Amino acid sequence: MSLELFLLFLLSWFRVDFARAINGTEILPGCQPKCGNVTVPYPFGIGAKCSIDTWANINCNTTFNPPKPFIGDYEVVQFSQTEVRIKNFVAVSCYNQSGNLTDQVFASMSLVGTPYTFSSTKNIVTVLGCDTMVLTRGSNTLNYSSGCISICDTKENVIDGTCSGIGCCETSIPKGLQEFYALVGTIYYHTKVWSFDSCGYAFLGEQNMYSFKVSDFTNSSHLTDIPLVLNYAVGNQTCKQAKQNSTAFACKDNSYCYDSVDHTGYLCSCNEGYEGNPYLKQGCQDVNECNNNPCKEICTNTQGGYACSCPDDSYGDGTKNGTGCTKRNKKIPLIQLTLGFGFGFLFLLVGGSWLYLSIKKRKLIQLKEKFFQKNGGLLLKQQMSSHEGGVESTKIFTAEELKLATNNYDNRRILGQGGSGTVYKGILPDLRMVAIKKSKIVDESQLGQFINEVVILTQINHRNVVKLLGCCLETEVPLLVYEFVSHGTLSHHLRKTSGGMSSLSWKDRLRIGAETAGALSYLHSAASIPIIHRDVKSANILLDDNDTAKVADFGASRLNPLDETQISTLVQGTMGYLDPEYFHTGQLTEKSDVYSFGVVLAELLTGEKPLCFERSIEQRNLATHFIVSMKENRLFELLEAGIVNEGKTEQVHAVAELAKRCLNSKAKKDLQ
Ligand SMILES: *[C@@H]1O[C@H](CO)[C@@H](O)[C@H](O)[C@H]1NC(C)=O
Ligand SMILES: *[C@@H]1O[C@H](CO)[C@@H](O)[C@H](O)[C@H]1NC(C)=O
Ligand SMILES: *[C@@H]1O[C@H](CO)[C@@H](O)[C@H](O)[C@H]1NC(C)=O
Ligand SMILES: *[C@@H]1O[C@H](CO)[C@@H](O)[C@H](O)[C@H]1NC(C)=O
Ligand SMILES: *[C@@H]1O[C@H](CO)[C@@H](O)[C@H](O)[C@H]1NC(C)=O
Ligand SMILES: *[C@@H]1O[C@H](CO)[C@@H](O)[C@H](O)[C@H]1NC(C)=O
Ligand SMILES: *[C@@H]1O[C@H](CO)[C@@H](O)[C@H](O)[C@H]1NC(C)=O
Ligand SMILES: *[C@@H]1O[C@H](CO)[C@@H](O)[C@H](O)[C@H]1NC(C)=O
Ligand SMILES: *[C@@H]1O[C@H](CO)[C@@H](O)[C@H](O)[C@H]1NC(C)=O
Ligand SMILES: *[C@@H]1O[C@H](CO)[C@@H](O)[C@H](O)[C@H]1NC(C)=O
């Protein structure tokens, strides 16, 4: 035999030997793979030469049948690459009917001097019994004591399945624990519960492996079947220190090292793409990923990974979640033909849609113009030019601007809905908040009313009148843009009571009344052309951040040229606020507004609705009820509770007197 041949033979022999070591058994050559039913993988072993160190040398006691493996005094149930499971110890104390101790076992375990620790994440102390008090003690780097108590009266109180504190309690252990003692005590010596529970138990064992049962009080033999998990670490150095001596370093080929969290020392694990035993030479073997077919077509296994590829007649990265493999098409003329057709079609499509869009755009412009005219745009322009002054401040908005401002008339932006339209909250490009009223009107007869509001409001500049910022006429229904008044309507605040009290104080009410009166007085006598509001009511008085009143909704208002003292109109207004004189005669004067204001004052005083069908017939109309009460000197029965306490009596009287004068059915006197 030549030398080369001999070497080859030697090499092949070693290879076979390693392969045998790797296959399933995970042991050093010549060592016993199992003790009884339990496999013992390296770094553990049976015998000094078969294990990595003395702590990992397993005592396989053959006096048992089958033989049982032991670490020190502890019987091992299972070995794994990161932990060891041993049989646990159950601490017991039992008592006879007269309360004398008949049997007692302590649990006492110590791993001091070994690299084993009780796993704090996987183990828990479980205590059983209805008159049980358990003290546990242990040490890691510090000594500690803990425990738990379980007391219950009857068997019926105890619930199977959950360790909830009745008949069973749990307590966790600290990290890195190496010593554990448990002593089971009692408070009433089990005399009260002896009929169903004569013993108390405690054990440290794997969490979630035990399901509590009341029957365990009397039959506790299977409690020792709950395993106890031990962590371990190799050596007494960190990875960094251990790597410096490569002959003693435990982590072998294709593996990595990590430090133990519980104890000084380190552990090994196979690299990604490898599996096996990291503590053995060539223990970590490449995983053949191609067995699970991770590729679309061709899979090539590599050391620690795999590669996908495509057959010659296709292209792509060959992976399943990547581009895969696509067949190359060799009939190039057909491709060109298809491309030609494709581009031609595309051209037609683009040209066609451009034409269609431009026609549609022109139609849209025409439609907008039509709406503008229909919505009285020309009328408005004419009106604006005839009333120079405030007009400059009124802006004509485009439909797009307002669509953007209201987030395409988003329902969540609706501030209120009334007879004349819907009010949306809008945000303009300069981040100004506005209220946008989308009118309901679609028939042309009401159009005048709409233009009316625009024209009237452009005349007015008063701090207690809501400001019109502009309008939009390009849409099917006209849109009005107002300043945003944040705090809602007066009527809302009057009805909004908390604990029977409205949110408005007497001082606020007095001020709101005065501000409203100021606005009306301005409309009637200080505006360039007198204006009659015609729909004064608490729902048309808005309140801003500081609860300053702002009169709104001029849809029904009329300009009242100075030379005409009375105008005949169609009677218009809100029931409950309507001046009876105007209602009967149809003659509109400023005094109709004064009457309505009187009703608002009565509302401010009483907090009642002006018309309420839930009240008796004589009290139904607030105005009449108010007047009658004043005549009969019963005013204070009607007032809102808070006002009587808060307001000065003479102030309340003065306001009530004013309201009475406003509500006078014969229009002799005015506000001033
Ligand atoms: C590994 O061992 C099992 C039985 O223990 C055997 O069937 C299998 O062929 C072995 N594989 C190799 C690669 O030796
Ligand atoms: C352990 O081994 C014995 C025979 O050696 C067998 O009868 C028994 O079923 C085994 N138990 C387990 C849990 O594998
Ligand atoms: C095996 O276990 C038996 C019973 O517990 C004990 O008496 C004996 O000393 C043990 N043998 C060894 C070698 O530990
Ligand atoms: C309980 O044990 C004590 C002491 O051993 C004994 O004196 C007593 O008679 C026992 N009681 C019962 C009811 O067995
Ligand atoms: C144990 O039994 C004795 C009588 O045998 C009694 O005097 C004593 O109080 C009992 N001890 C307890 C703790 O109940
Ligand atoms: C823990 O208690 C034991 C016994 O009482 C004592 O010997 C040891 O020094 C204590 N260890 C620490 C860290 O306090
Ligand atoms: C005790 O419990 C075990 C398992 O839960 C059961 O197999 C056994 O029969 C029980 N023994 C008695 C006396 O109830
Ligand atoms: C580390 O372990 C080795 C043997 O395993 C021992 O000789 C040495 O004293 C230990 N060092 C420390 C700091 O525990
Ligand atoms: C490395 O470890 C081996 C085996 O434990 C030992 O014999 C040797 O002296 C160590 N070398 C150094 C440099 O510490
Ligand atoms: C495909 O998916 C797997 C797992 O979902 C991922 O690990 C791999 O990186 C992916 N490959 C590509 C090319 O995206």
Side-chain angles (χ1 to χ4, degrees), residues 362-436:
R362 181 179 293 179
K363 274 232 173 98
L364 199 71
I365 290 170
Q366 279 171 354
L367 195 70
K368 278 184 183 170
E369 252 165 38
K370 196 181 124 214
F371 283 143
F372 186 74
Q373 278 168 24
K374 190 189 117 212
N375 287 340
L378 296 177
L379 189 60
L380 182 69
K381 270 196 175 161
Q382 194 186 335
Q383 288 273 13
M384 281 177 167
S385 56
S386 65
H387 299 290
E388 285 121 41
V391 182
E392 287 88 352
S393 62
T394 312
K395 193 182 162 199
I396 295 199
F397 289 90
T398 67
E400 275 77 30
E401 277 176 312
L402 296 190
K403 200 169 150 186
L404 205 68
T406 55
N407 194 14
N408 199 12
Y409 304 102
D410 192 339
N411 280 342
R412 282 169 297 185
R413 293 283 191 87
I414 292 180
L415 292 172
Q417 261 167 319
S420 54
T422 309
V423 183
Y424 294 87
K425 181 172 167 180
I427 299 163
L428 295 182
D430 60 2
L431 296 181
R432 235 184 333 160
M433 290 237 252
V434 291
I436 297 173

Side-chain angles (χ1 to χ4, degrees), residues 489-564:
T489 68
L490 173 62
S491 117
H492 173 78
H493 281 272
L494 285 175
R495 312 289 171 253
K496 188 180 70 181
T497 57
S498 56
M501 282 279 293
S502 161
S503 54
L504 286 174
S505 67
W506 168 246
K507 238 173 134 181
D508 285 335
R509 286 169 197 239
L510 211 55
R511 182 177 43 73
I512 289 165
E515 283 168 350
T516 309
L520 290 178
S521 158
Y522 168 84
L523 293 174
H524 291 170
S525 49
S528 53
I529 300 177
I531 297 159
I532 302 174
H533 186 285
R534 283 224 294 182
D535 201 8
V536 175
K537 56 179 173 182
S538 57
N540 280 343
I541 296 168
L542 305 180
L543 301 180
D544 73 4
D545 296 343
N546 310 320
D547 283 338
T548 303
K550 302 235 179 213
V551 178
D553 201 350
F554 286 74
S557 309
R558 287 297 299 255
L559 286 172
N560 191 11
L562 281 171
D563 44 350
E564 292 176 43

